[in-house]
Amino acid sequence: MISLTGLNLILPQLIIALAAIIVMLSIAVKRCHRFTNLFTLLSFAAAAISVLYIPRGSFGVSSLFVVDGFGKFFTVLIACAGFVITLMSYHYLNAREKRNEEYYILLLLSSLGALTMVISNHFVSFFLSLEVLSVSLYALIGYLKEEPAGIESGIKYLVLAAVSSSFLLFGIALIYMQTGHLDLSGIAAGLSSSGEFSGVFIAGLAMVIVGIGFKMALVPFHLWTPDIYAGASAPVSAFVATVSKGAVFAFLLRLFYSTGGLENKNVWTVFTIIAVASMLFGNWLALRQQNIKRLLAYSSIGHLGYLMVAFLAITDRGMQAATFYLVVYFTGMLAAFGTVIYMSNKKGEALYIDDYRGLFWKKPWLAAIFTTVMLSLAGIPLTAGFLGKLYLLTAGTEVGIWLLVIVLVVSSGIGLFYYLRVVAVMFAGKNENEASSEPVIGKIFPHGLVLTLLFLLLLWFGVYPSSLLEIIQQIASVIR
Amino acid sequence: MSITLILFWFLSVLALFSAAMVVASKNPVYSVLWLILVFFAISGHYLLLNAQFLAIVNIIVYAGAIMVLFLFVIMLMNLNKSNEPKRNKWLNLAGVLAGGCLLLVLVAALKNAETKATLAETGTGNIGLIENLGKALFTDYVVPFEISSVLFLSAMVGAVVLGKKESSPDTAGQSGKSSEK
């Protein structure tokens, strides 16, 4: 029976679930976009703060969830990302859609899916969280009804995600058949008693990798990413790029580190191929993109590939590097999509790189922020992206996975080109055809403020990372 | 050969054959009808495992409610062979190849599987009885149970958001005003 202490442990999740229901009921009473937005912001903030009230240590909640430092760290990360996305959505939705309030229910619910996923310790809870996350995302992606591209990408995501979920379920069933357990510790125990991996287990694991790889958009399963990023509204794309991928990555770490699935040579090789392919193809395909959202989509594929390098190191250092890089990636992606939202107008989003031509001469501060974001994503020194990549490299070289390390360096080199292209366009001469007479959506408050904050964070982590690293070092050893 | 074993083989063959027919049928309505047969066969398996509650729920919810809905949707959509888009021959070939590879891997994996650990407790297990199921759902699995209710909530909200008609101009004006306040 779940006791009150158990409820205390899942406080952030409870807050978000309750907030979603309150928002829904408040819409029934009276529609007010400002109130809904503020309330969503407050609940995300409360969820992040409530983590402080969870006692230290590792606790199991009814054998399906485990609340430990790692889970708490990701809970805070996801709640903060949700907070930022809510802030950015306000003016965007005001300008582009009449009926905005339901958006926040869906946003809260899919964040809830992510929040329960990062503390999942069991395939049942993982699958349920994944479905909560994706089902709300289907509707979020197709939310803007006047955009045919949005509906199209919503349906694409629905079909593809359903197929990947069925793969995942079949894989889980095969693993259950072999080990007789669905909880990760039980699977680990079942594996260590049988000694060698059987064919059924590897087949099951492979199908789970298909499901997880789809959600993280790793290379053989990445085809949906650019279309969905380009079709969905920019705040939702930001959500897909950060929260959805980050939560699945957190579960991936938990799954493979606590069951020891990576100790099998075949599984390790499969992941190596996936990582190499993601790094190379992600950066390669981004080179020719003119659409900034597609460019960010391919870049995010590359970034997830970088993360896999640290994941494959299977050390504490690797885990810390991955966690640090994920935080940097969250900050960078949120700021990048934030800039896209800022530059959008009532008619549409600032999708093409040419829309940013000469931005520096019109809005120098925004151009400075966007430049820093691009440099951080590319991994230039003095930004957080550089240090993140440095940690990934040291994690890789420590255990001598040279192939991955070399590919990481090479693909970062390729990546530099398209990030700098965007920067160069911003500093180029003024835009001759001032076609976009519509004013941009972005306002100084709250939009400019939150972008500035993310910009400062990128610099702060880049110059003085030890503040973040100390926290990460405390949590990273807990997961084993 | 005991009666349970005979029933098991009968139901298994029925389930597999109907499942194959779901895919093979050209007419979508036939596919749905075969799918109903699959659900009945699986419910029979549940009964063999002494899980009466699951069997009944499976028939009521899946074979009854959901499949009727399915049937209605398919009939309303009026899918004919004529308006089916032409498929690329190479795409078909690629699909067959990919699916065949998956089948090969699974068959190879399952051929060597140990069967001693996977014997089903026919007629003796009592996991699927309503009392035990309820106990498990509301003690150990209470949090996931609640999460699944959240899942339905999100599906419902999503369906309403996507399915709602565009509001007429005067109501749109009202909602616009209320958001300005």
Side-chain angles (χ1 to χ4, degrees):
Chain A
M1 191 65 206
I2 187 161
S3 61
L4 270 179
T5 51
L7 286 183
N8 167 25
L9 290 170
I10 52 169
L11 201 56
Q13 285 78 12
L14 287 178
I15 289 175
I16 296 292
L18 203 66
I21 292 166
I22 293 175
V23 167
M24 188 175 71
L25 293 179
S26 81
I27 292 173
V29 177
K30 189 173 182 340
R31 280 179 178 273
C32 175
H33 187 198
R34 184 162 292 169
F35 166 77
T36 315
N37 186 287
L38 261 180
F39 186 79
T40 313
L41 279 181
L42 278 180
S43 49
F44 274 123
I49 291 167
S50 69
V51 170
L52 293 175
Y53 293 93
I54 301 174
R56 274 166 171 271
S58 175
F59 303 95
V61 180
S62 72
S63 86
L64 288 143
F65 298 101
V66 58
V67 180
D68 52 8
F70 180 76
K72 280 194 273 184
F73 184 84
F74 275 91
T75 304
V76 174
L77 188 63
I78 286 168
C80 289
F83 185 86
V84 170
I85 291 169
T86 314
L87 261 183
M88 288 173 174
S89 307
Y90 181 69
H91 287 301
Y92 182 89
L93 286 177
N94 253 357
R96 301 206 57 196
E97 178 75 30
K98 289 188 197 94
R99 143 194 77 78
N100 308 317
E101 289 79 9
E102 288 90 343
Y103 174 87
Y104 296 98
I105 311 176
L106 293 167
L107 192 69
L108 281 166
L109 286 174
S110 53
S111 307
L112 176 68
L115 288 177
T116 47
M117 191 184 298
V118 296
I119 58 167
S120 292
N121 197 25
H122 196 289
F123 270 128
V124 167
S125 45
F126 167 62
F127 186 72
L128 270 176
S129 318
L130 190 71
E131 287 303 298
V132 173
L133 178 65
S134 350
V135 167
S136 331
L137 265 183
Y138 304 150
L140 273 181
I141 290 174
Y143 195 83
L144 294 186
K145 274 204 194 147
E146 273 139 51
E147 290 277 313
I151 308 266
E152 182 198 329
S153 52
I155 288 176
K156 262 185 198 160
Y157 191 70
L158 170 83
V159 172
L160 292 173
V163 171
S164 85
S165 287
S166 63
F167 265 91
L168 185 68
L169 265 186
F170 200 177
I172 292 173
L174 288 178
I175 290 177
Y176 182 66
M177 177 186 162
Q178 186 60 32
T179 59
H181 288 279
L182 282 174
D183 58 319
L184 301 189
S185 48
I187 291 170
L191 276 185
S192 58
S193 64
S194 65
E196 207 163 279
F197 282 33
S198 66
V200 176
F201 187 79
I202 292 182
L205 214 52
M207 295 180 102
V208 170
I209 292 172
V210 172
I212 289 181
F214 173 84
K215 291 286 166 195
M216 283 170 55
L218 294 166
V219 151
F221 323 109
H222 69 289
L223 292 166
W224 59 276
T225 330
D227 287 351
I228 271 76
Y229 277 41
S233 56
V236 178
S237 307
F239 188 88
V240 177
T242 56
V243 173
S244 153
K245 287 187 182 178
V248 178
F249 185 71
F251 183 77
L252 183 79
L253 282 177
R254 215 188 266 286
L255 171 65
F256 280 92
Y257 283 3
S258 61
T259 58
L262 273 180
E263 277 150 35
N264 185 290
K265 198 74 197 150
N266 295 334
V267 177
W268 201 86
T269 315
V270 165
F271 268 116
T272 308
I273 294 170
I274 288 177
V276 168
S278 302
M279 286 189 277
L280 285 179
F281 281 95
N283 283 308
W284 188 262
L285 293 171
L287 283 179
R288 296 289 304 270
Q289 296 303 323
Q290 291 301 321
N291 182 329
I292 195 119
K293 276 161 92 185
R294 292 182 84 90
L295 187 143
L296 286 173
Y298 283 116
S299 130
S300 85
I301 295 171
H303 282 288
L304 265 292
Y306 300 154
L307 276 172
M308 300 306 284
V309 175
F311 166 68
L312 284 167
I314 336 178
T315 51
D316 278 351
R317 174 74 64 100
M319 216 178 115
Q320 288 159 14
T323 316
F324 183 81
Y325 198 77
L326 201 65
V327 176
V328 173
Y329 167 80
F330 263 54
T331 323
M333 274 292 160
L334 286 176
F337 279 107
T339 316
V340 175
I341 299 168
Y342 194 105
M343 288 298 293
S344 306
N345 56 34
K346 268 189 188 319
K347 292 264 173 59
E349 290 173 352
L351 279 181
Y352 296 96
I353 293 181
D354 269 348
D355 294 338
Y356 298 83
R357 186 169 293 280
L359 183 66
F360 179 73
W361 312 107
K362 281 181 285 182
K363 296 185 190 303
W365 184 235
L366 187 68
I369 291 174
F370 203 34
T371 307
T372 318
V373 170
M374 284 294 150
L375 293 183
S376 171
L377 289 174
I380 302 288
L382 280 185
T383 58
F386 170 71
L387 276 178
K389 242 172 223 169
L390 193 69
Y391 290 131
L392 293 183
L393 280 177
T394 44
T397 45
E398 250 184 7
V399 290
I401 37 178
W402 294 108
L403 173 69
L404 288 165
V405 169
I406 291 167
V407 172
L408 202 166
V409 173
V410 169
S411 52
S412 301
I414 301 173
L416 200 58
F417 174 75
Y418 60 84
Y419 293 123
L420 287 183
R421 197 168 55 127
V422 178
V423 173
V425 164
M426 276 191 288
F427 286 89
K430 275 187 185 163
N431 197 353
E432 274 91 42
N433 50 339
E434 289 282 334
S436 56
S437 51
E438 290 265 343
V440 293
I441 286 174
K443 303 254 163 61
I444 298 297
F445 181 82
H447 213 120
L449 208 65
V450 73
L451 277 179
T452 312
L453 199 71
L454 291 171
F455 160 75
L456 289 177
L457 269 181
L458 280 180
L459 287 183
W460 173 257
F461 293 151
V463 179
Y464 184 66
S466 48
S467 50
L468 178 61
L469 274 179
E470 271 167 25
I471 306 173
I472 288 175
Q473 269 160 8
Q474 280 174 7
I475 58 127
S477 50
V478 182
I479 194 171
R480 290 298 182 83
Chain B
M1 213 179 197
S2 69
I3 185 108
T4 325
L5 206 59
I6 294 169
L7 271 175
F8 171 77
W9 282 112
F10 172 69
L11 288 171
S12 301
V13 170
L14 185 67
L16 286 175
F17 176 72
S18 328
M21 287 308 287
V22 173
V23 186
S25 298
K26 287 271 183 222
N27 191 336
V29 177
Y30 289 165
S31 285
V32 172
L33 293 176
W34 281 113
L35 197 57
I36 293 178
L37 205 56
V38 175
F39 285 132
F40 271 99
I42 291 191
S43 293
H45 277 301
Y46 283 140
L47 277 180
L48 288 183
L49 291 166
N50 207 19
Q52 295 94 336
F53 179 65
L54 277 184
I56 292 296
V57 166
N58 195 39
I59 287 182
I60 293 175
V61 176
Y62 282 88
I66 293 184
M67 291 326 287
V68 169
L69 202 68
F70 238 95
L71 216 52
F72 266 123
V73 170
I74 285 175
M75 284 172 172
L76 284 176
M77 275 161 69
N78 198 16
L79 292 173
N80 290 324
K81 227 177 162 190
S82 54
N83 54 21
E84 200 174 287
K86 271 227 162 128
R87 292 204 204 99
N88 190 341
K89 204 187 269 175
W90 290 105
L91 215 60
N92 269 351
L93 189 72
V96 168
L97 268 181
C101 286
L102 184 64
L103 187 72
L104 196 72
V105 168
L106 283 179
V107 168
L110 289 171
K111 214 181 70 188
N112 299 329
E114 295 173 47
T115 44
K116 65 174 173 10
T118 48
L119 279 180
E121 298 177 343
T122 45
T124 51
N126 50 8
I127 295 277
L129 296 181
I130 187 162
E131 188 189 346
N132 300 324
L133 201 70
K135 257 185 198 150
L137 270 186
F138 284 98
T139 53
D140 291 344
Y141 289 83
V142 65
V143 183
F145 184 73
E146 296 301 331
I147 293 178
S148 58
S149 67
V150 170
L151 175 60
F152 289 127
L153 180 71
S154 64
M156 197 178 70
V157 172
V160 170
V161 164
L162 291 183
K164 215 169 83 176
K165 267 190 188 158
E166 279 305 318
S167 46
S168 54
D170 50 345
T171 51
Q174 272 172 14
S175 67
K177 265 177 214 158
S178 62
S179 64
E180 276 162 25
K181 272 174 197 169

